[in-house]
């Protein structure tokens, strides 16, 4: 039977399918709209499964209250799609309301009559890219957030949330900027796993021996290099980006503040 342009448009508007896919589905369904929708959903799900091994390194970060999430996509074209941005914000709000911490916990939350995981999957089918909730965290207590845009026409793609105690929230916001810029992995040295420390110690010692350093001086040299490692990966040991004569820890002490936890999410971008 002949399929009209109006019927194709109606199906495209309802499903987000491409023109040729919509026309093919209507033809296969003999013009039955509901059956055509079902055909597109089935074929879309199959395509989504084939996309599972593709790289969703783009996307955005979104925040609501104490929640920070990263919704991943394959391209920045999708990252700035209105439906994609709206879904990310809905997920962040749901995570904040439930105080859900972690991807598994947030994926299990409900948005209306479906789970977050199902909502992400449905939008992936509609858009035609691999989409996934790649990071999610909820931080209790006093927090500060920094969201960074790489370009004015893109949503935030770097997000940092810092939790702690400070009389002035701007202190924690300054720390969030530090985390965004310098990428620490831990708040302080006691958080660094002992096996990581021992591995760094072994590397420092092997490197010092290879350089022919005096045996008697090795312990001091190794400790110095280990301290250098801590200054790279530990937030409070890092040189402050706002005052190169002080560490972040010294600035926090001077302000009577402390940081208990932070998270940093980043969409790699194109």
């Amino acid at each position: 039977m002949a399929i009209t342009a109006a019927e194709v448009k109606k199906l495209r508007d309802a499903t987000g399918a491409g023109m040729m896919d919509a026309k093919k589905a209507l033809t296969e369904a003999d013009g039955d709209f509901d059956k055509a929708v079902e055909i597109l959903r089935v074929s879309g799900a199959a395509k989504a499964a084939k996309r599972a091994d593709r790289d969703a390194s783009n996307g955005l970060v979104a925040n609501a209250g104490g929640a920070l999430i990263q919704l991943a996509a394959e391209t920045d074209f999708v990252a700035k799609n209105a439906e994609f941005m709206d879904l990310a914000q809905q997920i962040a709000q749901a995570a904040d309301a439930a105080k859900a911490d972690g991807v598994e916990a947030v994926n299990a939350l409900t948005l209306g009559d479906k789970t977050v995981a199902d909502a992400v999957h449905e939008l992936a089918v509609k858009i035609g890219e691999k989409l996934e909730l790649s990071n999610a965290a909820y931080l209790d207590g006093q927090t500060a957030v920094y969201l960074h845009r790489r370009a004015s026409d893109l949503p935030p793609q770097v997000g940092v949330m810092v939790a702690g105690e400070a009389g002035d929230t701007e202190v924690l916001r300054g720390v969030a900027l530090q985390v965004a810029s310098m990428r620490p992995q831990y708040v302080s040295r006691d958080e660094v796993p002992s096996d990581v420390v021992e591995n760094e110690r072994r590397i420092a010692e092997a490197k010092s021996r290879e350089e022919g350093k005096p045996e008697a001086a090795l312990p001091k040299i190794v400790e110095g290099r280990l301290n250098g490692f801590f200054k790279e990966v530990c937030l409070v040991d890092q040189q402050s980006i706002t005052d190169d004569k002080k560490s972040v820890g010294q600035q926090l002490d001077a302000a009577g503040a402390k940081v208990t936890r932070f998270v940093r999410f980043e969409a790699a971008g194109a």
Side-chain angles (χ1 to χ4, degrees):
M1 64 175 292
I3 304 299
T4 68
E7 289 172 324
V8 173
K9 182 178 186 304
K10 179 183 177 184
L11 185 59
R12 289 186 68 193
D13 290 345
T15 64
M19 181 180 70
M20 294 308 296
D21 286 338
K23 186 174 181 180
K24 182 179 177 183
L26 280 166
T27 301
E28 185 178 338
D30 290 327
D32 185 317
F33 181 83
D34 292 335
K35 188 175 179 181
V37 169
E38 185 177 331
I39 289 170
L40 286 172
R41 289 189 66 182
V42 171
S43 64
K47 289 177 183 177
K50 290 179 181 178
R51 290 192 293 269
D53 60 351
R54 279 161 38 183
D55 184 23
S57 61
N58 214 295
L60 57 77
V61 290
N63 158 252
L68 184 70
I69 66 104
Q70 179 181 350
L71 189 58
E74 294 179 53
T75 64
D76 61 6
F77 179 77
V78 168
K80 56 189 177 183
N81 172 283
E83 282 188 88
F84 183 79
M85 291 190 291
D86 182 58
L87 177 59
Q89 195 59 43
Q90 287 182 51
I91 294 171
Q93 289 167 351
D96 178 51
K99 299 186 177 181
D101 191 15
V103 170
E104 186 176 350
V106 175
N107 265 331
L109 298 176
T110 55
L111 295 176
D113 60 350
K114 64 193 75 169
T115 65
V116 166
D118 286 341
V120 172
H121 175 74
E122 285 187 15
L123 187 59
V125 170
K126 182 174 182 179
I127 286 178
E129 278 198 12
K130 178 182 179 181
L131 308 180
E132 63 182 359
L133 180 67
S134 54
N135 282 301
Y138 180 84
L139 275 59
D140 277 312
Q142 187 178 5
T143 59
V145 178
Y146 172 65
L147 302 179
H148 176 71
R149 296 174 184 265
R150 292 196 177 95
S152 59
D153 65 332
L154 290 175
Q157 294 189 302
V158 178
V160 175
M161 179 175 283
V162 176
E165 298 173 10
D168 184 356
T169 304
E170 283 305 305
V171 173
L172 294 183
R173 179 169 167 77
V175 174
L177 290 168
Q178 175 85 24
V179 173
S181 176
M182 302 307 293
R183 297 178 169 85
Q185 298 173 43
Y186 312 96
V187 173
S188 60
R189 298 185 183 199
D190 13 341
E191 288 187 2
V192 186
S194 58
D195 59 327
V196 173
V197 175
E198 286 310 307
N199 188 54
E200 286 299 321
R201 193 186 300 278
R202 281 194 298 272
I203 292 171
E205 184 173 341
K207 186 175 180 181
S208 300
R209 290 185 187 280
E210 191 176 317
E211 291 172 350
K213 303 295 184 185
E215 192 70 26
L218 281 182
K220 188 174 182 180
I221 294 171
V222 168
E223 287 307 308
R225 285 182 164 166
L226 197 56
N227 281 331
F229 165 73
F230 287 134
K231 287 179 181 178
E232 286 183 10
V233 301
C234 297
L235 172 66
V236 296
D237 286 317
Q238 285 187 341
Q239 182 184 68
S240 169
I241 60 173
T242 58
D243 185 347
D244 60 11
K245 292 183 174 59
K246 292 181 179 178
S247 68
V248 173
Q250 288 171 330
Q251 286 187 318
L252 288 170
D253 288 342
K258 71 175 182 178
V259 169
T260 54
R261 185 185 170 194
F262 68 81
V263 288
R264 182 186 188 280
F265 301 153
E266 177 176 7

